[in-house]
Amino acid sequence: MSPTVRVAPSILSADFGRLADEVAAVERAGADYVHVDVMDGCFVPNITLGPVVVEAVRRATRLPLDVHLMIVQPERYIDAFVKAGANIVTVHVETSPHLNRTLQQIRSAGATPSVVLNPATPLSAVEEVLSDVGQVLVMSVNPGFGGQSFIPATVDRVRRLRAMLAARGLEDTVDIEVDGGINAKTAAEVVAAGARVLVAGSSIFGTKDYAAAIRSLRPAVPSPSGRGKQG
Ligand code: DX5
Ligand code: ZN
């Protein structure tokens, strides 16, 4: 398991009229990834953006782009998003009946495959693909909107997912990411349970000091010796 915590600001809560500046600002403020929420108005109730906006974000930062596809038939768009600059592509297990093939498609396109589960989807749904991904995203809200409250049962789901990875010797190669309702308090809880990538929209873009907000989301990571280590 990575000893450091990475923070991925979600541009869903950014000022889209000044998107390039907002992305540059979170990069300067210490972000590790830029999280891009793609919504189609079908899998989720909201509609956001497509590859042209990802391309614009790509031009605004050198940080890895963590692209979260909340769309039906994601396989139709994977190549376009990777071409636009996505480094990590996350697909929902709920939209991907041929998940193994879809994850291979992401890898062949040149990005890191990642899979995500909605809050009510059993962890067993990703069990067979754990060795095919670089990241598993555990939704801590029902996807579709920023600014929702963290679902507390997520903490135990992260703990159980970490155990599933450890049982397969994958805890150092697969990152657990959490998305939705992340603030300083919930960040500490999910990191203690094993999460290492934290997506946060409103708790970063809703503040004036992005650097302070990002710092507050990097809690001490418990180390085997019992001493906390700052990420
Ligand atoms: C929700 C999105 C999230 C969202 C998080 O569907 O996947 O990435 O932007 O926003 P906050 O941090 O405000 O819950
Ligand atoms: Zn997201």
Side-chain angles (χ1 to χ4, degrees), residues 35 37 68 70 179 199:
H35 184 82
D37 287 305
H68 177 189
M70 286 161 274
D179 183 3
V199 178

PDB file of all heavy atoms in Angstrom, residues 35 37 68 70 179 199, ligand 2:
ATOM      1  N   HIS A  35      -9.360  15.270 -11.152  1.00  0.00           N
ATOM      2  CA  HIS A  35     -10.464  14.312 -11.314  1.00  0.00           C
ATOM      3  C   HIS A  35     -11.538  14.949 -12.202  1.00  0.00           C
ATOM      4  O   HIS A  35     -12.011  16.053 -11.928  1.00  0.00           O
ATOM      5  CB  HIS A  35     -11.040  13.971  -9.945  1.00  0.00           C
ATOM      6  CG  HIS A  35     -12.108  12.921  -9.958  1.00  0.00           C
ATOM      7  ND1 HIS A  35     -11.837  11.571  -9.984  1.00  0.00           N
ATOM      8  CD2 HIS A  35     -13.458  13.024  -9.940  1.00  0.00           C
ATOM      9  CE1 HIS A  35     -12.976  10.887  -9.970  1.00  0.00           C
ATOM     10  NE2 HIS A  35     -13.984  11.743  -9.949  1.00  0.00           N
ATOM     11  N   ASP A  37     -15.244  14.429 -13.944  1.00  0.00           N
ATOM     12  CA  ASP A  37     -16.496  13.670 -13.852  1.00  0.00           C
ATOM     13  C   ASP A  37     -17.284  13.798 -15.143  1.00  0.00           C
ATOM     14  O   ASP A  37     -17.783  14.865 -15.473  1.00  0.00           O
ATOM     15  CB  ASP A  37     -17.327  14.190 -12.679  1.00  0.00           C
ATOM     16  CG  ASP A  37     -16.730  13.772 -11.348  1.00  0.00           C
ATOM     17  OD1 ASP A  37     -16.519  12.563 -11.151  1.00  0.00           O
ATOM     18  OD2 ASP A  37     -16.462  14.654 -10.513  1.00  0.00           O
ATOM     19  N   HIS A  68     -13.450   9.888 -14.641  1.00  0.00           N
ATOM     20  CA  HIS A  68     -14.488   9.031 -14.042  1.00  0.00           C
ATOM     21  C   HIS A  68     -15.694   9.034 -14.981  1.00  0.00           C
ATOM     22  O   HIS A  68     -16.408  10.033 -15.075  1.00  0.00           O
ATOM     23  CB  HIS A  68     -14.816   9.623 -12.659  1.00  0.00           C
ATOM     24  CG  HIS A  68     -15.906   8.940 -11.914  1.00  0.00           C
ATOM     25  ND1 HIS A  68     -16.444   9.448 -10.744  1.00  0.00           N
ATOM     26  CD2 HIS A  68     -16.578   7.780 -12.144  1.00  0.00           C
ATOM     27  CE1 HIS A  68     -17.387   8.639 -10.299  1.00  0.00           C
ATOM     28  NE2 HIS A  68     -17.500   7.631 -11.133  1.00  0.00           N
ATOM     29  N   MET A  70     -19.201   8.234 -15.845  1.00  0.00           N
ATOM     30  CA  MET A  70     -20.536   7.857 -15.357  1.00  0.00           C
ATOM     31  C   MET A  70     -21.463   7.854 -16.566  1.00  0.00           C
ATOM     32  O   MET A  70     -22.375   8.676 -16.688  1.00  0.00           O
ATOM     33  CB  MET A  70     -20.988   8.860 -14.287  1.00  0.00           C
ATOM     34  CG  MET A  70     -20.247   8.666 -12.972  1.00  0.00           C
ATOM     35  SD  MET A  70     -20.342  10.112 -11.894  1.00  0.00           S
ATOM     36  CE  MET A  70     -18.959  11.030 -12.532  1.00  0.00           C
ATOM     37  N   ASP A 179     -14.612   8.650  -3.466  1.00  0.00           N
ATOM     38  CA  ASP A 179     -15.167   9.816  -4.169  1.00  0.00           C
ATOM     39  C   ASP A 179     -16.554  10.152  -3.624  1.00  0.00           C
ATOM     40  O   ASP A 179     -17.478   9.336  -3.719  1.00  0.00           O
ATOM     41  CB  ASP A 179     -15.254   9.461  -5.667  1.00  0.00           C
ATOM     42  CG  ASP A 179     -15.739  10.606  -6.536  1.00  0.00           C
ATOM     43  OD1 ASP A 179     -15.968  11.703  -6.022  1.00  0.00           O
ATOM     44  OD2 ASP A 179     -15.879  10.370  -7.759  1.00  0.00           O
ATOM     45  N   VAL A 199     -10.817  11.859  -3.785  1.00  0.00           N
ATOM     46  CA  VAL A 199     -11.434  12.828  -4.687  1.00  0.00           C
ATOM     47  C   VAL A 199     -12.190  13.833  -3.824  1.00  0.00           C
ATOM     48  O   VAL A 199     -12.894  13.436  -2.895  1.00  0.00           O
ATOM     49  CB  VAL A 199     -12.423  12.129  -5.648  1.00  0.00           C
ATOM     50  CG1 VAL A 199     -13.103  13.157  -6.555  1.00  0.00           C
ATOM     51  CG2 VAL A 199     -11.703  11.059  -6.469  1.00  0.00           C
TER      52      VAL A 199
HETATM   53 ZN    ZN B   2     -16.051  11.400  -9.573  1.00  0.00          ZN
END
